[in-house]
Amino acid sequence: MQNWDDMRVFLAVARAESLSAAAPVLKLDPATLSRRIARLEAAVGAALFVKSPQGYALTDLGGRMMDQAAQAETALTRAADVGQSPSSGINGQIRIGAPDGCANFLLPQVCAAIQAANPDLEVQILALPRVVNLSRREADMAVTVSPPQTGRLTVQKITDYRLHLAQAEALPTPASLADLKGRAVVGYIPDMIFDSALDYLGPLAADGVQMASNSVSVQLQMLRAGAGIGVAHDFALPFAPGVRRVLVDQLSLVRSFYLVRHTADRRSDRLRRFADALMAGLRDEVARLEASLCAASVADQLTS
């Protein structure tokens, strides 16, 4: 049967959906990956991928093999965890999937602190404009904005976070929501909203979203450019100089982050310790950034 190294290559290409995207993960060049995939397909006697200029898509057989290979990968990881003791720190590779607002503005500093305390740990942050597929082991755990309703998963609420209307400081300040009629709206591409909890705009977008992106980071840059008014995460605004909240007393939203893991991973002490550190770090970071924004708002009012 094929060696595990070939299966590791197969899993990486299946998850990345291209040789070029999988190459940095495996620290191998795309030509080598292509030869390894061809060798595996020859051994299996069937195609595992449909190759096209757009990338590598799994065949039906490839999809079934991926499910089994991911389970084997999990078993190997748990076996390696047995030899670790809490005093040795957290080591190995851990991948976290998250919506891009969390991935851009929270996870880098939180994960950097965890990694600094655990030098043998390698952290990968997977920022996707969709729900991370844990069943196919795209990541070891995922931060979501809604708790999943299906699957053998462990779900823990991390923290609440707040959102408000925001715009460039140079734009005239609206006195009420009624003043927003006719203003360009910045927000998500409507048909790419992958979770109902991200549908922030409601009646504000009755006439459409004039400046849209599936990325929170791009939306913030649109707001900085004066492209319109939109709903922004309070924790992201400290990273967007020139953008300020407006109508805070008239529109205020609260959403939540959840940490989602495979139920079987509860037996992994390594993943449990990382998850505990991650949740504590995210709670502290959201609180810190939201507090700094409130402090800045108070300072602006005192000087105006």
Side-chain angles (χ1 to χ4, degrees), residues 213-238:
S213 173
N214 64 342
S215 165
V216 170
S217 299
V218 174
Q219 291 175 34
L220 273 180
Q221 294 307 313
M222 290 174 174
L223 293 174
R224 289 188 69 189
I229 190 165
V231 173
H233 303 71
D234 282 11
F235 63 69
L237 288 177

Side-chain angles (χ1 to χ4, degrees), residues 90-96 121-125 140-141 270-271 274:
I90 308 170
N91 60 29
Q93 183 188 96
I94 296 178
R95 180 180 293 179
I96 316 153
L121 174 66
E122 178 185 336
V123 181
Q124 297 180 348
I125 299 172
D140 296 293
M141 57 189 69
R270 181 179 71 101
L271 291 177
F274 181 85

Side-chain angles (χ1 to χ4, degrees), residues 23-59:
V25 176
L26 295 169
K27 299 180 175 60
L28 295 171
D29 61 87
T32 299
L33 297 186
S34 178
R35 290 193 297 271
R36 297 280 288 277
I37 291 297
R39 183 173 75 183
L40 181 60
E41 290 182 326
V44 172
L48 300 175
F49 294 97
V50 176
K51 293 99 172 176
S52 73
Q54 287 71 45
Y56 275 45
L58 286 167
T59 62

Side-chain angles (χ1 to χ4, degrees), residues 79-154:
D81 289 349
V82 171
Q84 291 195 35
S85 65
S87 61
S88 65
I90 308 170
N91 60 29
Q93 183 188 96
I94 296 178
R95 180 180 293 179
I96 316 153
D100 83 314
C102 178
N104 275 285
F105 303 110
L106 297 173
L107 284 179
Q109 51 271 35
V110 171
C111 291
I114 297 172
Q115 198 284 326
N118 299 273
D120 294 326
L121 174 66
E122 178 185 336
V123 181
Q124 297 180 348
I125 299 172
L126 182 66
L128 290 176
R130 60 173 173 81
V131 176
V132 174
N133 191 332
L134 289 181
S135 66
R136 290 200 165 183
R137 287 290 175 178
E138 286 186 331
D140 296 293
M141 57 189 69
V143 177
T144 68
V145 292
S146 293
Q149 302 300 313
T150 60
R152 299 182 62 183
L153 302 168
T154 296

Side-chain angles (χ1 to χ4, degrees), residues 143-176:
V143 177
T144 68
V145 292
S146 293
Q149 302 300 313
T150 60
R152 299 182 62 183
L153 302 168
T154 296
V155 182
Q156 296 169 278
K157 182 177 177 179
I158 302 171
T159 189
D160 292 332
Y161 62 93
R162 287 151 188 81
L163 308 99
H164 291 90
L165 287 169
Q167 64 174 38
E169 292 177 349
L171 295 179
T173 302
S176 69

Side-chain angles (χ1 to χ4, degrees), residues 164-249:
H164 291 90
L165 287 169
Q167 64 174 38
E169 292 177 349
L171 295 179
T173 302
S176 69
L177 292 173
D179 290 347
L180 301 181
K181 187 172 179 59
R183 293 272 297 271
V185 173
V186 174
Y188 282 104
I189 299 171
D191 62 357
M192 296 187 73
I193 296 176
F194 62 89
D195 190 307
S196 61
L198 300 178
D199 192 4
Y200 307 132
L201 296 173
L204 192 64
D207 296 324
V209 179
Q210 287 70 43
M211 292 293 290
S213 173
N214 64 342
S215 165
V216 170
S217 299
V218 174
Q219 291 175 34
L220 273 180
Q221 294 307 313
M222 290 174 174
L223 293 174
R224 289 188 69 189
I229 190 165
V231 173
H233 303 71
D234 282 11
F235 63 69
L237 288 177
F239 299 93
V243 177
R244 62 186 175 90
R245 298 186 302 176
V246 295
L247 303 178
V248 174
D249 58 339

